[in-house]
Amino acid sequence: MKSLFAFFSSSIGKKIVMSLTGLFLCTFLAEHVAGNFLLFMNDNGAMYDAYTEFMSHNIVIRTIEIVLAVSLVGHSISGVIVWLKNRRSRSENYKVYKLQENTPLASRITMITGSFIFLFLVVHLRTFFVPTRFGTEAVSPYTLVVQSFSNEWYSAFYIVALIFLSYHLRHGFQSAFQTLGLKNKKYSRLLDWLAVIFWLLIPLGFASMPIYFAFFYKAGPAALVLGVQ
Amino acid sequence: MNFTLKIWRQKNKNDKGRFASYEIRDVSPDASFLEMLDILNEGLAKKGEEPVAFDHDCREGICGSCGIVIDGRAHGPGRGIATCELRMRSFRDGATIVAEPWRAKPFPVIKDLVVDRTSFDRIMYAGGYISTKTGGVPDGNAIPIPKPVAEEAMDAAACIGCGACVAACPNSSAMLFVGAKVSQLALLPQGQVERKERALRMVEQMDAEGFGNCSNTFACEAECPKEISVAHIARLNREFIRAKVT
């Protein structure tokens, strides 16, 4: 127990927590985007609703959901602790400091991108997770998606959040492997390619949904009933 | 060449410090930054003013004594050079140059541009050594070491402990320094005896000194005068995990 505490209180220990939780959150993103592609099935959401029904009742998924929540909290808390400590380590700011000449933008703004993603998650869970899981009346998740994304401003907020997510993962994904000591000359090119899936393809996949429903979706009979244009 | 210098002046550890402006004329483009400071100091001494204090020793980029943040870059513009190797031709004639000390809590300013880097020494005491039988010179080929391993260890051993990694890092992290030291010894057979304890103790001391956490911006690698790779930070992480789980 004592050594476990020493591990988490060490600088590298906290970062290992960040990388492991971060990578787990990445696997969730991959599953989430893949499942959400069912929105494009053109069946008025029959398959999508069946999929969410399965996800919210399957015992395995529900268990993983708890791990996911713990990971998110762990990632956020250790991120804030690391960030606060880092601010305290600098004695005084430089009058001239050209960090931008040596470092990529994504690596300098993880706290900003992370905070925005956290804010987005609060809104996102409030819109979709809370009404479907805890709502008193049964709602079709598909209809919720159609309704929410038919508001261009709401869709725009999603797209901005996805740009932040992309920047966050542009740095975070490869950073996790570096922290776990798994990055070296042999694998760094492979990792760079693997990272493209997370910082480019997955955010693009997610962004296609608000873009489609806000601008290209022709309201089907189910949406018309709800008064969506 | 002529320059306007804005240099950090601080009487001692407890002084608040401030920037002072100096004009310097007819500097040779081939003068090093430290030689330029020598010229400035000669002028200041003649006028009866206190010369600018700065660290220096070998002046050929191998001792790690010098180190100034010049125009927002540790060791100034350019790659793979220490402040003593920086030539004045790297600047535009008539330019205003800002010179500041390393800024990090574990590197308190002693005077002007001189900082106290004994925190690095304390990290070395914690584990940056090997146990060996001293005495006669061992046979050079007694312990076979593959060439790529020897090269990798040598690259890490190139660290001169100047502290530019800490100065350049937005988090004042010392991971490149500690990574280089741990790597160098972990790669070689002679370093195996204390391998586990070394990684743990050096990281523990690094944290105790108040250095920040590495956020993988890799500003350290870009500013290191010996161009030490961040792959050594990955190895340090690996060594730390290995020591913790075994």
Side-chain angles (χ1 to χ4, degrees):
Chain A
M1 194 66 205
K2 203 181 149 200
S3 72
L4 200 66
F5 180 75
F7 176 78
F8 288 120
S9 55
S10 74
S11 56
I12 299 180
K14 280 193 282 286
K15 292 192 53 225
I16 289 168
V17 172
M18 289 207 68
S19 36
L20 290 176
T21 51
L23 287 177
F24 183 69
L25 293 169
C26 281
T27 61
F28 162 72
L29 281 180
E31 181 283 319
H32 192 20
V33 77
N36 277 19
F37 275 123
L38 291 173
L39 286 167
F40 297 133
M41 290 307 283
N42 211 9
D43 57 356
N44 272 329
M47 277 184 81
Y48 182 73
D49 282 353
Y51 155 73
T52 49
E53 178 71 12
F54 166 77
M55 294 301 270
S56 55
H57 289 95
N58 185 290
I59 183 74
V60 179
I61 304 291
R62 290 295 292 272
T63 314
I64 296 174
E65 199 174 87
I66 296 165
V67 183
L68 188 69
V70 171
S71 293
L72 181 67
V73 173
H75 190 75
S76 311
I77 290 176
S78 50
V80 171
I81 295 173
V82 164
W83 181 74
L84 287 173
K85 167 75 189 84
N86 288 349
R87 282 175 67 93
R88 281 199 306 273
S89 294
R90 173 60 53 80
S91 53
E92 193 168 329
N93 285 331
Y94 289 112
K95 183 182 170 76
V96 186
Y97 186 37
K98 292 185 181 152
L99 187 63
Q100 73 281 0
E101 286 185 8
N102 294 322
T103 55
L105 174 68
S107 74
R108 302 192 299 266
I109 57 168
T110 39
M111 190 61 193
I112 300 168
T113 51
S115 307
F116 193 87
I117 294 163
F118 193 85
L119 179 82
F120 162 79
L121 278 178
V122 174
V123 176
H124 182 61
L125 292 177
R126 177 71 196 85
T127 313
F128 297 112
F129 185 74
V130 175
T132 49
R133 183 65 64 82
F134 304 110
T136 43
E137 51 193 275
V139 273
S140 146
Y142 180 78
T143 335
L144 261 184
V145 172
V146 176
Q147 274 180 327
S148 307
F149 287 156
S150 60
N151 180 335
E152 286 91 347
W153 288 108
Y154 193 84
S155 293
F157 171 64
Y158 261 65
I159 291 160
V160 171
L162 288 164
I163 294 170
F164 276 82
L165 178 71
S166 171
Y167 269 92
H168 198 72
L169 296 180
R170 180 83 180 87
H171 178 67
F173 186 77
Q174 56 86 26
S175 195
F177 286 91
Q178 167 79 1
T179 300
L180 294 172
L182 299 173
K183 206 176 166 192
N184 61 20
K185 279 178 209 142
K186 262 188 210 160
Y187 308 114
S188 70
R189 289 208 53 189
L190 175 73
L191 276 177
D192 287 344
W193 281 109
L194 197 63
V196 172
I197 298 174
F198 290 89
W199 70 263
L200 184 66
L201 300 182
I202 288 182
L204 273 180
F206 276 122
S208 68
M209 292 150 199
I211 291 172
Y212 172 73
F213 286 105
F215 304 107
F216 302 104
Y217 178 68
K218 299 276 181 292
L224 285 174
V225 172
L226 292 154
V228 176
Q229 293 299 306
Chain B
M1 297 177 86
N2 302 325
F3 301 102
T4 303
L5 302 167
K6 283 190 188 304
I7 300 178
W8 182 258
R9 302 303 308 262
Q10 186 172 333
K11 281 199 181 82
N12 53 46
K13 234 177 182 175
N14 304 318
D15 182 27
K16 253 195 97 187
R18 68 195 160 81
F19 278 96
S21 272
Y22 302 98
E23 298 291 331
I24 188 159
R25 318 228 149 262
D26 302 325
V27 178
S28 159
D30 299 328
S32 75
F33 196 85
L34 299 187
E35 284 161 350
M36 184 276 297
L37 286 179
D38 290 337
I39 299 166
L40 172 77
N41 279 346
E42 226 168 280
L44 289 176
K46 272 183 193 157
K47 281 194 276 179
E49 286 179 40
E50 179 84 13
V52 177
F54 62 93
D55 251 334
H56 62 102
D57 190 18
C58 74
R59 298 210 178 196
E60 54 183 12
I62 55 169
C63 76
S65 298
C66 63
I68 303 171
V69 171
I70 302 157
D71 280 348
R73 301 268 310 266
H75 292 304
R79 276 183 180 246
I81 52 163
T83 306
C84 57
E85 297 168 289
L86 174 66
R87 305 289 151 183
M88 295 316 289
R89 57 178 173 264
S90 317
F91 300 92
R92 196 173 37 80
D93 190 25
T96 299
I97 305 170
V98 180
E100 302 173 71
W102 288 170
R103 300 277 190 206
K105 278 263 169 67
F107 287 167
V109 176
I110 300 171
K111 190 177 182 180
D112 300 337
L113 302 171
V114 182
V115 297
D116 178 358
R117 281 172 290 192
T118 47
S119 47
F120 267 13
D121 298 339
R122 289 188 292 273
I123 295 175
M124 291 303 279
Y125 301 156
Y129 53 80
I130 58 162
S131 294
T132 186
K133 197 165 66 179
T134 54
V137 179
D139 178 359
N141 297 320
I143 309 169
I145 299 165
K147 176 79 171 154
V149 175
E151 286 289 342
E152 184 82 0
M154 189 58 214
D155 285 349
C159 171
I160 51 177
C162 65
C165 44
V166 176
C169 177
N171 317 319
S172 303
S173 167
M175 287 286 277
L176 192 64
F177 169 75
V178 180
K181 300 302 174 193
V182 166
S183 253
Q184 176 201 338
L185 299 175
L187 283 162
L188 299 173
Q190 293 90 337
Q192 299 311 305
V193 180
E194 297 94 350
R195 188 173 175 180
K196 257 175 81 171
E197 288 71 25
R198 179 181 304 116
L200 297 176
R201 285 193 196 146
M202 288 181 86
V203 168
E204 195 184 336
Q205 190 60 36
M206 172 184 85
D207 291 348
E209 295 291 345
F211 290 101
N213 305 278
C214 173
S215 62
N216 303 325
T217 64
F218 303 156
C220 50
E221 183 185 78
E223 295 294 36
C224 175
K226 297 294 144 192
E227 298 182 300
I228 290 177
S229 163
V230 291
H232 296 296
I233 298 184
R235 186 175 290 105
L236 168 63
N237 290 329
R238 209 149 61 225
E239 288 295 316
F240 181 83
I241 296 170
R242 187 177 175 273
K244 279 283 179 192
V245 298
T246 56

mmCIF file of all heavy atoms in Angstrom, chain A residues 106-131:
data_model
loop_
_atom_site.group_PDB
_atom_site.id
_atom_site.type_symbol
_atom_site.label_atom_id
_atom_site.label_comp_id
_atom_site.label_asym_id
_atom_site.label_seq_id
_atom_site.Cartn_x
_atom_site.Cartn_y
_atom_site.Cartn_z
ATOM 1 N N ALA A 106 -0.142 21.745 -30.347
ATOM 2 C CA ALA A 106 -0.987 20.793 -29.604
ATOM 3 C C ALA A 106 -0.381 20.442 -28.242
ATOM 4 O O ALA A 106 -1.112 20.243 -27.277
ATOM 5 C CB ALA A 106 -1.202 19.530 -30.423
ATOM 6 N N SER A 107 0.949 20.401 -28.159
ATOM 7 C CA SER A 107 1.595 20.000 -26.901
ATOM 8 C C SER A 107 1.498 21.103 -25.851
ATOM 9 O O SER A 107 1.618 20.839 -24.668
ATOM 10 C CB SER A 107 3.055 19.641 -27.152
ATOM 11 O OG SER A 107 3.826 20.806 -27.386
ATOM 12 N N ARG A 108 1.298 22.352 -26.302
ATOM 13 C CA ARG A 108 1.286 23.467 -25.349
ATOM 14 C C ARG A 108 -0.103 23.758 -24.804
ATOM 15 O O ARG A 108 -0.244 24.495 -23.840
ATOM 16 C CB ARG A 108 1.840 24.741 -26.013
ATOM 17 C CG ARG A 108 3.244 24.604 -26.543
ATOM 18 C CD ARG A 108 3.812 25.969 -26.908
ATOM 19 N NE ARG A 108 3.050 26.649 -27.936
ATOM 20 C CZ ARG A 108 3.322 26.589 -29.232
ATOM 21 N NH1 ARG A 108 4.341 25.883 -29.663
ATOM 22 N NH2 ARG A 108 2.585 27.237 -30.111
ATOM 23 N N ILE A 109 -1.130 23.226 -25.462
ATOM 24 C CA ILE A 109 -2.491 23.648 -25.092
ATOM 25 C C ILE A 109 -3.349 22.493 -24.575
ATOM 26 O O ILE A 109 -4.572 22.593 -24.595
ATOM 27 C CB ILE A 109 -3.202 24.346 -26.279
ATOM 28 C CG1 ILE A 109 -3.236 23.424 -27.514
ATOM 29 C CG2 ILE A 109 -2.522 25.668 -26.623
ATOM 30 C CD1 ILE A 109 -4.169 23.922 -28.602
ATOM 31 N N THR A 110 -2.726 21.430 -24.079
ATOM 32 C CA THR A 110 -3.526 20.276 -23.638
ATOM 33 C C THR A 110 -4.480 20.628 -22.511
ATOM 34 O O THR A 110 -5.572 20.094 -22.433
ATOM 35 C CB THR A 110 -2.642 19.096 -23.190
ATOM 36 O OG1 THR A 110 -1.545 19.622 -22.487
ATOM 37 C CG2 THR A 110 -2.169 18.278 -24.350
ATOM 38 N N MET A 111 -4.065 21.538 -21.625
ATOM 39 C CA MET A 111 -4.943 21.913 -20.525
ATOM 40 C C MET A 111 -6.180 22.652 -21.055
ATOM 41 O O MET A 111 -7.300 22.409 -20.595
ATOM 42 C CB MET A 111 -4.178 22.791 -19.520
ATOM 43 C CG MET A 111 -4.931 23.033 -18.243
ATOM 44 S SD MET A 111 -5.267 21.473 -17.372
ATOM 45 C CE MET A 111 -6.448 22.014 -16.197
ATOM 46 N N ILE A 112 -5.978 23.530 -22.020
ATOM 47 C CA ILE A 112 -7.095 24.287 -22.604
ATOM 48 C C ILE A 112 -8.014 23.331 -23.359
ATOM 49 O O ILE A 112 -9.236 23.334 -23.153
ATOM 50 C CB ILE A 112 -6.572 25.394 -23.555
ATOM 51 C CG1 ILE A 112 -5.681 26.377 -22.783
ATOM 52 C CG2 ILE A 112 -7.719 26.118 -24.250
ATOM 53 C CD1 ILE A 112 -4.896 27.320 -23.667
ATOM 54 N N THR A 113 -7.419 22.483 -24.214
ATOM 55 C CA THR A 113 -8.250 21.567 -24.998
ATOM 56 C C THR A 113 -8.959 20.585 -24.064
ATOM 57 O O THR A 113 -10.154 20.323 -24.233
ATOM 58 C CB THR A 113 -7.407 20.794 -26.043
ATOM 59 O OG1 THR A 113 -6.275 20.204 -25.391
ATOM 60 C CG2 THR A 113 -6.908 21.693 -27.142
ATOM 61 N N GLY A 114 -8.241 20.107 -23.052
ATOM 62 C CA GLY A 114 -8.830 19.164 -22.099
ATOM 63 C C GLY A 114 -10.000 19.780 -21.347
ATOM 64 O O GLY A 114 -11.041 19.143 -21.167
ATOM 65 N N SER A 115 -9.829 21.035 -20.906
ATOM 66 C CA SER A 115 -10.904 21.702 -20.156
ATOM 67 C C SER A 115 -12.143 21.884 -21.017
ATOM 68 O O SER A 115 -13.270 21.695 -20.559
ATOM 69 C CB SER A 115 -10.449 23.084 -19.662
ATOM 70 O OG SER A 115 -9.265 22.959 -18.962
ATOM 71 N N PHE A 116 -11.918 22.246 -22.287
ATOM 72 C CA PHE A 116 -13.056 22.458 -23.184
ATOM 73 C C PHE A 116 -13.785 21.134 -23.417
ATOM 74 O O PHE A 116 -15.015 21.079 -23.440
ATOM 75 C CB PHE A 116 -12.606 23.076 -24.508
ATOM 76 C CG PHE A 116 -13.753 23.603 -25.330
ATOM 77 C CD1 PHE A 116 -14.210 24.896 -25.140
ATOM 78 C CD2 PHE A 116 -14.403 22.791 -26.254
ATOM 79 C CE1 PHE A 116 -15.288 25.375 -25.873
ATOM 80 C CE2 PHE A 116 -15.481 23.262 -26.996
ATOM 81 C CZ PHE A 116 -15.923 24.564 -26.800
ATOM 82 N N ILE A 117 -12.994 20.061 -23.576
ATOM 83 C CA ILE A 117 -13.603 18.737 -23.790
ATOM 84 C C ILE A 117 -14.432 18.344 -22.561
ATOM 85 O O ILE A 117 -15.525 17.798 -22.689
ATOM 86 C CB ILE A 117 -12.520 17.676 -24.103
ATOM 87 C CG1 ILE A 117 -11.861 17.984 -25.436
ATOM 88 C CG2 ILE A 117 -13.113 16.275 -24.119
ATOM 89 C CD1 ILE A 117 -10.544 17.282 -25.672
ATOM 90 N N PHE A 118 -13.934 18.683 -21.383
ATOM 91 C CA PHE A 118 -14.668 18.376 -20.149
ATOM 92 C C PHE A 118 -16.011 19.116 -20.134
ATOM 93 O O PHE A 118 -17.059 18.537 -19.839
ATOM 94 C CB PHE A 118 -13.835 18.755 -18.921
ATOM 95 C CG PHE A 118 -14.383 18.185 -17.645
ATOM 96 C CD1 PHE A 118 -14.048 16.893 -17.247
ATOM 97 C CD2 PHE A 118 -15.257 18.909 -16.846
ATOM 98 C CE1 PHE A 118 -14.565 16.338 -16.084
ATOM 99 C CE2 PHE A 118 -15.789 18.374 -15.685
ATOM 100 C CZ PHE A 118 -15.436 17.084 -15.308
ATOM 101 N N LEU A 119 -15.957 20.403 -20.497
ATOM 102 C CA LEU A 119 -17.175 21.215 -20.575
ATOM 103 C C LEU A 119 -18.148 20.614 -21.587
ATOM 104 O O LEU A 119 -19.348 20.477 -21.332
ATOM 105 C CB LEU A 119 -16.788 22.649 -20.988
ATOM 106 C CG LEU A 119 -17.928 23.636 -21.146
ATOM 107 C CD1 LEU A 119 -18.325 24.191 -19.789
ATOM 108 C CD2 LEU A 119 -17.514 24.787 -22.067
ATOM 109 N N PHE A 120 -17.586 20.213 -22.732
ATOM 110 C CA PHE A 120 -18.400 19.601 -23.776
ATOM 111 C C PHE A 120 -19.075 18.326 -23.266
ATOM 112 O O PHE A 120 -20.252 18.091 -23.532
ATOM 113 C CB PHE A 120 -17.529 19.295 -24.997
ATOM 114 C CG PHE A 120 -18.135 18.297 -25.935
ATOM 115 C CD1 PHE A 120 -19.123 18.688 -26.836
ATOM 116 C CD2 PHE A 120 -17.773 16.955 -25.907
ATOM 117 C CE1 PHE A 120 -19.711 17.769 -27.689
ATOM 118 C CE2 PHE A 120 -18.358 16.027 -26.750
ATOM 119 C CZ PHE A 120 -19.333 16.434 -27.642
ATOM 120 N N LEU A 121 -18.306 17.542 -22.504
ATOM 121 C CA LEU A 121 -18.850 16.274 -21.998
ATOM 122 C C LEU A 121 -20.049 16.493 -21.088
ATOM 123 O O LEU A 121 -21.010 15.723 -21.115
ATOM 124 C CB LEU A 121 -17.767 15.489 -21.247
ATOM 125 C CG LEU A 121 -16.816 14.686 -22.129
ATOM 126 C CD1 LEU A 121 -15.762 14.008 -21.276
ATOM 127 C CD2 LEU A 121 -17.591 13.636 -22.930
ATOM 128 N N VAL A 122 -19.988 17.573 -20.288
ATOM 129 C CA VAL A 122 -21.110 17.885 -19.396
ATOM 130 C C VAL A 122 -22.363 18.137 -20.234
ATOM 131 O O VAL A 122 -23.438 17.562 -19.984
ATOM 132 C CB VAL A 122 -20.777 19.113 -18.506
ATOM 133 C CG1 VAL A 122 -21.978 19.532 -17.681
ATOM 134 C CG2 VAL A 122 -19.581 18.805 -17.603
ATOM 135 N N VAL A 123 -22.215 18.951 -21.275
ATOM 136 C CA VAL A 123 -23.346 19.275 -22.155
ATOM 137 C C VAL A 123 -23.815 18.011 -22.887
ATOM 138 O O VAL A 123 -25.014 17.719 -22.974
ATOM 139 C CB VAL A 123 -22.937 20.374 -23.174
ATOM 140 C CG1 VAL A 123 -24.072 20.654 -24.155
ATOM 141 C CG2 VAL A 123 -22.531 21.649 -22.445
ATOM 142 N N HIS A 124 -22.838 17.256 -23.384
ATOM 143 C CA HIS A 124 -23.126 16.051 -24.161
ATOM 144 C C HIS A 124 -23.900 15.014 -23.339
ATOM 145 O O HIS A 124 -24.902 14.470 -23.804
ATOM 146 C CB HIS A 124 -21.789 15.466 -24.632
ATOM 147 C CG HIS A 124 -21.910 14.244 -25.481
ATOM 148 N ND1 HIS A 124 -22.564 14.233 -26.684
ATOM 149 C CD2 HIS A 124 -21.437 12.975 -25.305
ATOM 150 C CE1 HIS A 124 -22.498 13.015 -27.209
ATOM 151 N NE2 HIS A 124 -21.827 12.220 -26.386
ATOM 152 N N LEU A 125 -23.461 14.796 -22.112
ATOM 153 C CA LEU A 125 -24.142 13.822 -21.251
ATOM 154 C C LEU A 125 -25.529 14.314 -20.872
ATOM 155 O O LEU A 125 -26.476 13.539 -20.790
ATOM 156 C CB LEU A 125 -23.301 13.534 -19.996
ATOM 157 C CG LEU A 125 -21.990 12.778 -20.227
ATOM 158 C CD1 LEU A 125 -21.219 12.616 -18.930
ATOM 159 C CD2 LEU A 125 -22.236 11.408 -20.848
ATOM 160 N N ARG A 126 -25.634 15.637 -20.660
ATOM 161 C CA ARG A 126 -26.923 16.230 -20.307
ATOM 162 C C ARG A 126 -27.911 16.053 -21.466
ATOM 163 O O ARG A 126 -29.082 15.767 -21.250
ATOM 164 C CB ARG A 126 -26.714 17.723 -19.976
ATOM 165 C CG ARG A 126 -27.965 18.515 -19.652
ATOM 166 C CD ARG A 126 -28.540 18.113 -18.304
ATOM 167 N NE ARG A 126 -29.921 18.578 -18.143
ATOM 168 C CZ ARG A 126 -30.984 17.910 -18.577
ATOM 169 N NH1 ARG A 126 -30.853 16.763 -19.242
ATOM 170 N NH2 ARG A 126 -32.202 18.383 -18.368
ATOM 171 N N THR A 127 -27.432 16.183 -22.680
ATOM 172 C CA THR A 127 -28.322 16.095 -23.840
ATOM 173 C C THR A 127 -28.745 14.657 -24.140
ATOM 174 O O THR A 127 -29.908 14.398 -24.414
ATOM 175 C CB THR A 127 -27.615 16.662 -25.101
ATOM 176 O OG1 THR A 127 -27.031 17.900 -24.762
ATOM 177 C CG2 THR A 127 -28.587 16.853 -26.249
ATOM 178 N N PHE A 128 -27.777 13.737 -24.123
ATOM 179 C CA PHE A 128 -28.088 12.378 -24.585
ATOM 180 C C PHE A 128 -28.154 11.319 -23.494
ATOM 181 O O PHE A 128 -29.054 10.499 -23.491
ATOM 182 C CB PHE A 128 -27.065 11.949 -25.647
ATOM 183 C CG PHE A 128 -27.114 12.791 -26.870
ATOM 184 C CD1 PHE A 128 -26.063 13.638 -27.193
ATOM 185 C CD2 PHE A 128 -28.230 12.780 -27.705
ATOM 186 C CE1 PHE A 128 -26.122 14.433 -28.326
ATOM 187 C CE2 PHE A 128 -28.291 13.572 -28.835
ATOM 188 C CZ PHE A 128 -27.230 14.403 -29.145
ATOM 189 N N PHE A 129 -27.191 11.355 -22.595
ATOM 190 C CA PHE A 129 -27.094 10.277 -21.616
ATOM 191 C C PHE A 129 -28.182 10.380 -20.545
ATOM 192 O O PHE A 129 -28.888 9.399 -20.270
ATOM 193 C CB PHE A 129 -25.697 10.288 -20.979
ATOM 194 C CG PHE A 129 -25.443 9.150 -20.043
ATOM 195 C CD1 PHE A 129 -25.226 7.871 -20.528
ATOM 196 C CD2 PHE A 129 -25.419 9.354 -18.664
ATOM 197 C CE1 PHE A 129 -24.984 6.816 -19.670
ATOM 198 C CE2 PHE A 129 -25.182 8.297 -17.798
ATOM 199 C CZ PHE A 129 -24.965 7.028 -18.301
ATOM 200 N N VAL A 130 -28.352 11.568 -19.974
ATOM 201 C CA VAL A 130 -29.294 11.742 -18.861
ATOM 202 C C VAL A 130 -30.742 11.421 -19.273
ATOM 203 O O VAL A 130 -31.398 10.604 -18.619
ATOM 204 C CB VAL A 130 -29.147 13.149 -18.216
ATOM 205 C CG1 VAL A 130 -30.210 13.378 -17.152
ATOM 206 C CG2 VAL A 130 -27.753 13.321 -17.639
ATOM 207 N N PRO A 131 -31.277 12.000 -20.383
ATOM 208 C CA PRO A 131 -32.677 11.696 -20.724
ATOM 209 C C PRO A 131 -32.909 10.228 -21.089
ATOM 210 O O PRO A 131 -33.949 9.665 -20.730
ATOM 211 C CB PRO A 131 -32.956 12.579 -21.941
ATOM 212 C CG PRO A 131 -31.821 13.509 -22.058
ATOM 213 C CD PRO A 131 -30.671 12.949 -21.306
#
